[in-house]
PDB file of all heavy atoms in Angstrom:
ATOM      1  N   MET A 163      33.538  42.699 -13.656  1.00  0.00           N
ATOM      2  CA  MET A 163      32.915  42.296 -14.847  1.00  0.00           C
ATOM      3  C   MET A 163      32.859  40.686 -14.981  1.00  0.00           C
ATOM      4  O   MET A 163      31.852  40.127 -15.526  1.00  0.00           O
ATOM      5  CB  MET A 163      33.706  42.821 -16.079  1.00  0.00           C
ATOM      6  CG  MET A 163      33.745  44.243 -16.330  1.00  0.00           C
ATOM      7  SD  MET A 163      32.104  44.918 -16.731  1.00  0.00           S
ATOM      8  CE  MET A 163      31.382  45.581 -15.209  1.00  0.00           C
ATOM      9  N   PHE A 164      33.865  40.021 -14.386  1.00  0.00           N
ATOM     10  CA  PHE A 164      33.862  38.581 -14.319  1.00  0.00           C
ATOM     11  C   PHE A 164      32.647  38.150 -13.538  1.00  0.00           C
ATOM     12  O   PHE A 164      31.903  37.209 -13.905  1.00  0.00           O
ATOM     13  CB  PHE A 164      35.174  38.012 -13.754  1.00  0.00           C
ATOM     14  CG  PHE A 164      35.167  36.552 -13.537  1.00  0.00           C
ATOM     15  CD1 PHE A 164      35.275  35.673 -14.515  1.00  0.00           C
ATOM     16  CD2 PHE A 164      34.882  36.108 -12.166  1.00  0.00           C
ATOM     17  CE1 PHE A 164      35.151  34.283 -14.217  1.00  0.00           C
ATOM     18  CE2 PHE A 164      34.873  34.731 -11.941  1.00  0.00           C
ATOM     19  CZ  PHE A 164      34.980  33.783 -12.944  1.00  0.00           C
ATOM     20  N   LEU A 165      32.343  38.778 -12.361  1.00  0.00           N
ATOM     21  CA  LEU A 165      31.274  38.426 -11.577  1.00  0.00           C
ATOM     22  C   LEU A 165      29.967  38.738 -12.200  1.00  0.00           C
ATOM     23  O   LEU A 165      28.957  37.960 -11.992  1.00  0.00           O
ATOM     24  CB  LEU A 165      31.376  39.167 -10.248  1.00  0.00           C
ATOM     25  CG  LEU A 165      32.450  38.734  -9.339  1.00  0.00           C
ATOM     26  CD1 LEU A 165      32.626  39.539  -8.005  1.00  0.00           C
ATOM     27  CD2 LEU A 165      32.327  37.200  -8.859  1.00  0.00           C
ATOM     28  N   VAL A 166      29.912  39.778 -13.020  1.00  0.00           N
ATOM     29  CA  VAL A 166      28.634  40.027 -13.757  1.00  0.00           C
ATOM     30  C   VAL A 166      28.423  38.957 -14.762  1.00  0.00           C
ATOM     31  O   VAL A 166      27.274  38.415 -14.888  1.00  0.00           O
ATOM     32  CB  VAL A 166      28.847  41.396 -14.589  1.00  0.00           C
ATOM     33  CG1 VAL A 166      27.647  41.579 -15.536  1.00  0.00           C
ATOM     34  CG2 VAL A 166      28.674  42.512 -13.543  1.00  0.00           C
ATOM     35  N   TRP A 167      29.396  38.502 -15.483  1.00  0.00           N
ATOM     36  CA  TRP A 167      29.304  37.385 -16.440  1.00  0.00           C
ATOM     37  C   TRP A 167      28.759  36.134 -15.614  1.00  0.00           C
ATOM     38  O   TRP A 167      27.946  35.469 -16.128  1.00  0.00           O
ATOM     39  CB  TRP A 167      30.731  37.149 -17.037  1.00  0.00           C
ATOM     40  CG  TRP A 167      30.783  35.959 -17.932  1.00  0.00           C
ATOM     41  CD1 TRP A 167      30.846  34.598 -17.605  1.00  0.00           C
ATOM     42  CD2 TRP A 167      30.692  35.903 -19.342  1.00  0.00           C
ATOM     43  NE1 TRP A 167      30.847  33.788 -18.639  1.00  0.00           N
ATOM     44  CE2 TRP A 167      30.695  34.509 -19.727  1.00  0.00           C
ATOM     45  CE3 TRP A 167      30.697  36.902 -20.324  1.00  0.00           C
ATOM     46  CZ2 TRP A 167      30.837  34.241 -21.174  1.00  0.00           C
ATOM     47  CZ3 TRP A 167      30.661  36.493 -21.716  1.00  0.00           C
ATOM     48  CH2 TRP A 167      30.760  35.173 -22.118  1.00  0.00           C
ATOM     49  N   MET A 168      29.483  35.819 -14.535  1.00  0.00           N
ATOM     50  CA  MET A 168      29.123  34.593 -13.825  1.00  0.00           C
ATOM     51  C   MET A 168      27.678  34.684 -13.205  1.00  0.00           C
ATOM     52  O   MET A 168      26.970  33.758 -13.146  1.00  0.00           O
ATOM     53  CB  MET A 168      30.084  34.315 -12.724  1.00  0.00           C
ATOM     54  CG  MET A 168      31.478  33.957 -13.247  1.00  0.00           C
ATOM     55  SD  MET A 168      31.540  32.570 -14.487  1.00  0.00           S
ATOM     56  CE  MET A 168      31.009  31.256 -13.347  1.00  0.00           C
ATOM     57  N   ALA A 169      27.265  35.873 -12.747  1.00  0.00           N
ATOM     58  CA  ALA A 169      25.879  36.084 -12.289  1.00  0.00           C
ATOM     59  C   ALA A 169      24.963  35.941 -13.292  1.00  0.00           C
ATOM     60  O   ALA A 169      23.767  35.375 -13.072  1.00  0.00           O
ATOM     61  CB  ALA A 169      25.794  37.526 -11.733  1.00  0.00           C
ATOM     62  N   ALA A 170      25.210  36.274 -14.619  1.00  0.00           N
ATOM     63  CA  ALA A 170      24.308  36.118 -15.741  1.00  0.00           C
ATOM     64  C   ALA A 170      24.144  34.643 -15.956  1.00  0.00           C
ATOM     65  O   ALA A 170      23.057  34.130 -16.271  1.00  0.00           O
ATOM     66  CB  ALA A 170      24.786  36.886 -16.942  1.00  0.00           C
ATOM     67  N   MET A 171      25.317  33.921 -15.918  1.00  0.00           N
ATOM     68  CA  MET A 171      25.329  32.477 -16.076  1.00  0.00           C
ATOM     69  C   MET A 171      24.463  31.813 -15.022  1.00  0.00           C
ATOM     70  O   MET A 171      23.606  30.951 -15.446  1.00  0.00           O
ATOM     71  CB  MET A 171      26.692  31.914 -16.043  1.00  0.00           C
ATOM     72  CG  MET A 171      27.635  32.255 -17.205  1.00  0.00           C
ATOM     73  SD  MET A 171      27.354  31.043 -18.623  1.00  0.00           S
ATOM     74  CE  MET A 171      28.044  29.574 -17.963  1.00  0.00           C
ATOM     75  N   LEU A 172      24.492  32.169 -13.833  1.00  0.00           N
ATOM     76  CA  LEU A 172      23.824  31.604 -12.710  1.00  0.00           C
ATOM     77  C   LEU A 172      22.267  31.956 -12.946  1.00  0.00           C
ATOM     78  O   LEU A 172      21.504  31.057 -12.767  1.00  0.00           O
ATOM     79  CB  LEU A 172      24.189  32.225 -11.363  1.00  0.00           C
ATOM     80  CG  LEU A 172      23.325  31.928 -10.213  1.00  0.00           C
ATOM     81  CD1 LEU A 172      23.415  30.391  -9.956  1.00  0.00           C
ATOM     82  CD2 LEU A 172      23.792  32.750  -8.954  1.00  0.00           C
ATOM     83  N   TYR A 173      21.955  33.050 -13.429  1.00  0.00           N
ATOM     84  CA  TYR A 173      20.543  33.502 -13.767  1.00  0.00           C
ATOM     85  C   TYR A 173      19.913  32.500 -14.831  1.00  0.00           C
ATOM     86  O   TYR A 173      18.806  32.003 -14.626  1.00  0.00           O
ATOM     87  CB  TYR A 173      20.452  34.963 -14.133  1.00  0.00           C
ATOM     88  CG  TYR A 173      18.977  35.248 -14.528  1.00  0.00           C
ATOM     89  CD1 TYR A 173      18.083  35.405 -13.550  1.00  0.00           C
ATOM     90  CD2 TYR A 173      18.632  35.551 -15.882  1.00  0.00           C
ATOM     91  CE1 TYR A 173      16.769  35.775 -13.877  1.00  0.00           C
ATOM     92  CE2 TYR A 173      17.332  35.922 -16.185  1.00  0.00           C
ATOM     93  CZ  TYR A 173      16.399  36.009 -15.160  1.00  0.00           C
ATOM     94  OH  TYR A 173      15.168  36.433 -15.533  1.00  0.00           O
ATOM     95  N   ILE A 174      20.756  32.108 -15.782  1.00  0.00           N
ATOM     96  CA  ILE A 174      20.192  31.163 -16.812  1.00  0.00           C
ATOM     97  C   ILE A 174      20.142  29.827 -16.255  1.00  0.00           C
ATOM     98  O   ILE A 174      19.147  29.101 -16.411  1.00  0.00           O
ATOM     99  CB  ILE A 174      21.144  31.230 -17.996  1.00  0.00           C
ATOM    100  CG1 ILE A 174      21.088  32.602 -18.653  1.00  0.00           C
ATOM    101  CG2 ILE A 174      20.732  30.130 -19.055  1.00  0.00           C
ATOM    102  CD1 ILE A 174      19.814  32.988 -19.255  1.00  0.00           C
ATOM    103  N   ARG A 175      21.203  29.309 -15.635  1.00  0.00           N
ATOM    104  CA  ARG A 175      21.237  27.954 -15.138  1.00  0.00           C
ATOM    105  C   ARG A 175      20.177  27.608 -14.041  1.00  0.00           C
ATOM    106  O   ARG A 175      19.656  26.538 -13.930  1.00  0.00           O
ATOM    107  CB  ARG A 175      22.658  27.599 -14.557  1.00  0.00           C
ATOM    108  CG  ARG A 175      23.719  27.698 -15.611  1.00  0.00           C
ATOM    109  CD  ARG A 175      23.528  26.667 -16.745  1.00  0.00           C
ATOM    110  NE  ARG A 175      24.537  26.744 -17.787  1.00  0.00           N
ATOM    111  CZ  ARG A 175      24.254  26.909 -19.034  1.00  0.00           C
ATOM    112  NH1 ARG A 175      23.020  26.778 -19.459  1.00  0.00           N
ATOM    113  NH2 ARG A 175      25.131  26.885 -19.901  1.00  0.00           N
ATOM    114  N   ILE A 176      19.963  28.624 -13.212  1.00  0.00           N
ATOM    115  CA  ILE A 176      19.007  28.494 -12.064  1.00  0.00           C
ATOM    116  C   ILE A 176      17.597  28.175 -12.566  1.00  0.00           C
ATOM    117  O   ILE A 176      16.778  27.662 -11.845  1.00  0.00           O
ATOM    118  CB  ILE A 176      19.149  29.651 -11.106  1.00  0.00           C
ATOM    119  CG1 ILE A 176      18.895  29.146  -9.766  1.00  0.00           C
ATOM    120  CG2 ILE A 176      18.141  30.736 -11.527  1.00  0.00           C
ATOM    121  CD1 ILE A 176      19.285  30.234  -8.647  1.00  0.00           C
ATOM    122  N   GLN A 177      17.196  28.668 -13.759  1.00  0.00           N
ATOM    123  CA  GLN A 177      15.899  28.549 -14.272  1.00  0.00           C
ATOM    124  C   GLN A 177      15.633  27.134 -14.911  1.00  0.00           C
ATOM    125  O   GLN A 177      14.544  26.773 -15.142  1.00  0.00           O
ATOM    126  CB  GLN A 177      15.584  29.610 -15.364  1.00  0.00           C
ATOM    127  CG  GLN A 177      15.692  30.937 -14.914  1.00  0.00           C
ATOM    128  CD  GLN A 177      15.594  31.963 -15.978  1.00  0.00           C
ATOM    129  OE1 GLN A 177      14.529  32.042 -16.584  1.00  0.00           O
ATOM    130  NE2 GLN A 177      16.580  32.824 -16.272  1.00  0.00           N
ATOM    131  N   GLU A 178      16.806  26.398 -15.219  1.00  0.00           N
ATOM    132  CA  GLU A 178      16.602  25.110 -15.835  1.00  0.00           C
ATOM    133  C   GLU A 178      16.253  23.971 -14.781  1.00  0.00           C
ATOM    134  O   GLU A 178      16.802  24.039 -13.569  1.00  0.00           O
ATOM    135  CB  GLU A 178      17.926  24.691 -16.540  1.00  0.00           C
ATOM    136  CG  GLU A 178      18.329  25.668 -17.563  1.00  0.00           C
ATOM    137  CD  GLU A 178      19.812  25.541 -18.028  1.00  0.00           C
ATOM    138  OE1 GLU A 178      20.486  24.719 -17.392  1.00  0.00           O
ATOM    139  OE2 GLU A 178      20.153  26.121 -19.049  1.00  0.00           O
ATOM    140  N   LEU A 179      15.466  23.089 -15.219  1.00  0.00           N
ATOM    141  CA  LEU A 179      15.182  21.940 -14.270  1.00  0.00           C
ATOM    142  C   LEU A 179      16.271  20.953 -14.310  1.00  0.00           C
ATOM    143  O   LEU A 179      16.792  20.525 -15.283  1.00  0.00           O
ATOM    144  CB  LEU A 179      13.870  21.217 -14.801  1.00  0.00           C
ATOM    145  CG  LEU A 179      12.655  22.207 -14.910  1.00  0.00           C
ATOM    146  CD1 LEU A 179      11.419  21.336 -15.223  1.00  0.00           C
ATOM    147  CD2 LEU A 179      12.418  22.966 -13.626  1.00  0.00           C
ATOM    148  N   ASP A 180      16.692  20.480 -13.129  1.00  0.00           N
ATOM    149  CA  ASP A 180      17.844  19.661 -12.925  1.00  0.00           C
ATOM    150  C   ASP A 180      17.510  18.334 -13.651  1.00  0.00           C
ATOM    151  O   ASP A 180      18.533  17.578 -13.998  1.00  0.00           O
ATOM    152  CB  ASP A 180      18.096  19.391 -11.434  1.00  0.00           C
ATOM    153  CG  ASP A 180      18.561  20.730 -10.854  1.00  0.00           C
ATOM    154  OD1 ASP A 180      18.699  21.670 -11.392  1.00  0.00           O
ATOM    155  OD2 ASP A 180      18.673  20.720  -9.500  1.00  0.00           O
ATOM    156  N   SER A 181      16.381  17.875 -13.775  1.00  0.00           N
ATOM    157  CA  SER A 181      16.030  16.493 -14.198  1.00  0.00           C
ATOM    158  C   SER A 181      16.067  16.437 -15.826  1.00  0.00           C
ATOM    159  O   SER A 181      16.004  15.404 -16.301  1.00  0.00           O
ATOM    160  CB  SER A 181      14.670  16.096 -13.703  1.00  0.00           C
ATOM    161  OG  SER A 181      13.612  16.980 -14.067  1.00  0.00           O
ATOM    162  N   GLU A 182      16.085  17.654 -16.439  1.00  0.00           N
ATOM    163  CA  GLU A 182      15.997  17.591 -17.871  1.00  0.00           C
ATOM    164  C   GLU A 182      17.326  17.449 -18.519  1.00  0.00           C
ATOM    165  O   GLU A 182      18.345  17.920 -18.037  1.00  0.00           O
ATOM    166  CB  GLU A 182      15.333  18.950 -18.386  1.00  0.00           C
ATOM    167  CG  GLU A 182      13.903  19.152 -17.907  1.00  0.00           C
ATOM    168  CD  GLU A 182      13.010  18.027 -18.362  1.00  0.00           C
ATOM    169  OE1 GLU A 182      13.063  17.715 -19.592  1.00  0.00           O
ATOM    170  OE2 GLU A 182      12.236  17.555 -17.584  1.00  0.00           O
ATOM    171  N   PRO A 183      17.364  16.871 -19.678  1.00  0.00           N
ATOM    172  CA  PRO A 183      18.623  16.670 -20.488  1.00  0.00           C
ATOM    173  C   PRO A 183      19.188  18.067 -21.018  1.00  0.00           C
ATOM    174  O   PRO A 183      18.422  18.963 -21.382  1.00  0.00           O
ATOM    175  CB  PRO A 183      18.253  15.714 -21.544  1.00  0.00           C
ATOM    176  CG  PRO A 183      16.852  15.956 -21.776  1.00  0.00           C
ATOM    177  CD  PRO A 183      16.278  16.303 -20.489  1.00  0.00           C
ATOM    178  N   GLN A 184      20.453  18.136 -21.197  1.00  0.00           N
ATOM    179  CA  GLN A 184      21.059  19.362 -21.787  1.00  0.00           C
ATOM    180  C   GLN A 184      21.170  19.221 -23.310  1.00  0.00           C
ATOM    181  O   GLN A 184      21.603  18.132 -23.809  1.00  0.00           O
ATOM    182  CB  GLN A 184      22.485  19.564 -21.179  1.00  0.00           C
ATOM    183  CG  GLN A 184      23.000  20.981 -21.408  1.00  0.00           C
ATOM    184  CD  GLN A 184      24.267  21.242 -20.643  1.00  0.00           C
ATOM    185  OE1 GLN A 184      25.211  20.463 -20.645  1.00  0.00           O
ATOM    186  NE2 GLN A 184      24.341  22.274 -19.938  1.00  0.00           N
ATOM    187  N   VAL A 185      20.785  20.145 -24.041  1.00  0.00           N
ATOM    188  CA  VAL A 185      20.840  20.160 -25.543  1.00  0.00           C
ATOM    189  C   VAL A 185      21.431  21.398 -26.134  1.00  0.00           C
ATOM    190  O   VAL A 185      21.487  22.402 -25.416  1.00  0.00           O
ATOM    191  CB  VAL A 185      19.389  20.023 -26.098  1.00  0.00           C
ATOM    192  CG1 VAL A 185      18.685  18.714 -25.575  1.00  0.00           C
ATOM    193  CG2 VAL A 185      18.534  21.314 -25.676  1.00  0.00           C
ATOM    194  N   ARG A 186      21.984  21.307 -27.333  1.00  0.00           N
ATOM    195  CA  ARG A 186      22.571  22.414 -27.992  1.00  0.00           C
ATOM    196  C   ARG A 186      21.455  23.264 -28.727  1.00  0.00           C
ATOM    197  O   ARG A 186      20.606  22.739 -29.277  1.00  0.00           O
ATOM    198  CB  ARG A 186      23.584  21.912 -29.064  1.00  0.00           C
ATOM    199  CG  ARG A 186      24.899  21.367 -28.438  1.00  0.00           C
ATOM    200  CD  ARG A 186      25.869  21.074 -29.538  1.00  0.00           C
ATOM    201  NE  ARG A 186      27.103  20.367 -29.090  1.00  0.00           N
ATOM    202  CZ  ARG A 186      28.056  21.111 -28.480  1.00  0.00           C
ATOM    203  NH1 ARG A 186      27.948  22.511 -28.464  1.00  0.00           N
ATOM    204  NH2 ARG A 186      29.168  20.603 -27.976  1.00  0.00           N
ATOM    205  N   THR A 187      21.694  24.555 -28.646  1.00  0.00           N
ATOM    206  CA  THR A 187      20.803  25.405 -29.344  1.00  0.00           C
ATOM    207  C   THR A 187      21.368  25.893 -30.650  1.00  0.00           C
ATOM    208  O   THR A 187      20.749  26.594 -31.564  1.00  0.00           O
ATOM    209  CB  THR A 187      20.300  26.566 -28.599  1.00  0.00           C
ATOM    210  OG1 THR A 187      21.443  27.493 -28.200  1.00  0.00           O
ATOM    211  CG2 THR A 187      19.482  25.997 -27.320  1.00  0.00           C
ATOM    212  N   TYR A 188      22.765  25.866 -30.715  1.00  0.00           N
ATOM    213  CA  TYR A 188      23.511  26.212 -31.983  1.00  0.00           C
ATOM    214  C   TYR A 188      24.833  25.274 -31.958  1.00  0.00           C
ATOM    215  O   TYR A 188      25.151  24.686 -30.975  1.00  0.00           O
ATOM    216  CB  TYR A 188      23.851  27.614 -32.085  1.00  0.00           C
ATOM    217  CG  TYR A 188      24.484  28.288 -30.809  1.00  0.00           C
ATOM    218  CD1 TYR A 188      25.869  28.101 -30.481  1.00  0.00           C
ATOM    219  CD2 TYR A 188      23.731  29.169 -30.069  1.00  0.00           C
ATOM    220  CE1 TYR A 188      26.425  28.659 -29.482  1.00  0.00           C
ATOM    221  CE2 TYR A 188      24.325  29.804 -28.905  1.00  0.00           C
ATOM    222  CZ  TYR A 188      25.652  29.605 -28.575  1.00  0.00           C
ATOM    223  OH  TYR A 188      26.248  30.180 -27.580  1.00  0.00           O
ATOM    224  N   SER A 189      25.477  25.230 -33.148  1.00  0.00           N
ATOM    225  CA  SER A 189      26.497  24.300 -33.348  1.00  0.00           C
ATOM    226  C   SER A 189      27.758  24.466 -32.618  1.00  0.00           C
ATOM    227  O   SER A 189      27.897  25.595 -32.045  1.00  0.00           O
ATOM    228  CB  SER A 189      26.821  24.303 -34.811  1.00  0.00           C
ATOM    229  OG  SER A 189      27.484  25.489 -35.247  1.00  0.00           O
ATOM    230  N   ARG A 190      28.615  23.445 -32.635  1.00  0.00           N
ATOM    231  CA  ARG A 190      29.880  23.590 -32.044  1.00  0.00           C
ATOM    232  C   ARG A 190      30.801  24.715 -32.627  1.00  0.00           C
ATOM    233  O   ARG A 190      31.504  25.377 -31.933  1.00  0.00           O
ATOM    234  CB  ARG A 190      30.693  22.372 -32.186  1.00  0.00           C
ATOM    235  CG  ARG A 190      30.198  21.092 -31.334  1.00  0.00           C
ATOM    236  CD  ARG A 190      31.033  19.917 -31.630  1.00  0.00           C
ATOM    237  NE  ARG A 190      30.369  18.749 -30.889  1.00  0.00           N
ATOM    238  CZ  ARG A 190      30.763  18.400 -29.649  1.00  0.00           C
ATOM    239  NH1 ARG A 190      31.610  19.198 -28.859  1.00  0.00           N
ATOM    240  NH2 ARG A 190      30.171  17.255 -28.966  1.00  0.00           N
ATOM    241  N   ALA A 191      30.604  24.908 -33.909  1.00  0.00           N
ATOM    242  CA  ALA A 191      31.330  25.949 -34.576  1.00  0.00           C
ATOM    243  C   ALA A 191      30.992  27.276 -34.113  1.00  0.00           C
ATOM    244  O   ALA A 191      31.753  28.182 -33.839  1.00  0.00           O
ATOM    245  CB  ALA A 191      31.179  25.864 -36.009  1.00  0.00           C
ATOM    246  N   MET A 192      29.643  27.500 -33.924  1.00  0.00           N
ATOM    247  CA  MET A 192      29.165  28.723 -33.328  1.00  0.00           C
ATOM    248  C   MET A 192      29.612  29.000 -31.865  1.00  0.00           C
ATOM    249  O   MET A 192      29.806  30.039 -31.452  1.00  0.00           O
ATOM    250  CB  MET A 192      27.608  28.820 -33.505  1.00  0.00           C
ATOM    251  CG  MET A 192      27.125  29.074 -34.965  1.00  0.00           C
ATOM    252  SD  MET A 192      27.696  30.617 -35.682  1.00  0.00           S
ATOM    253  CE  MET A 192      29.136  30.016 -36.692  1.00  0.00           C
ATOM    254  N   ARG A 193      29.599  27.843 -31.235  1.00  0.00           N
ATOM    255  CA  ARG A 193      30.070  27.864 -29.879  1.00  0.00           C
ATOM    256  C   ARG A 193      31.521  28.380 -29.735  1.00  0.00           C
ATOM    257  O   ARG A 193      31.906  29.205 -28.827  1.00  0.00           O
ATOM    258  CB  ARG A 193      30.053  26.455 -29.279  1.00  0.00           C
ATOM    259  CG  ARG A 193      30.329  26.374 -27.765  1.00  0.00           C
ATOM    260  CD  ARG A 193      29.148  26.873 -26.942  1.00  0.00           C
ATOM    261  NE  ARG A 193      29.223  26.451 -25.546  1.00  0.00           N
ATOM    262  CZ  ARG A 193      28.384  26.766 -24.651  1.00  0.00           C
ATOM    263  NH1 ARG A 193      27.409  27.514 -24.910  1.00  0.00           N
ATOM    264  NH2 ARG A 193      28.552  26.341 -23.338  1.00  0.00           N
TER     265      ARG A 193
END
Side-chain angles (χ1 to χ4, degrees):
M163 292 294 101
F164 172 76
L165 290 175
V166 169
W167 175 283
M168 297 303 294
M171 287 279 288
L172 173 62
Y173 178 69
I174 295 296
R175 297 295 177 232
I176 214 167
Q177 300 177 61
E178 302 168 347
L179 303 187
D180 296 354
S181 57
E182 296 300 315
Q184 196 171 52
V185 298
R186 291 185 179 278
T187 60
Y188 49 76
S189 69
R190 290 179 183 273
M192 288 298 100
R193 187 77 165 176

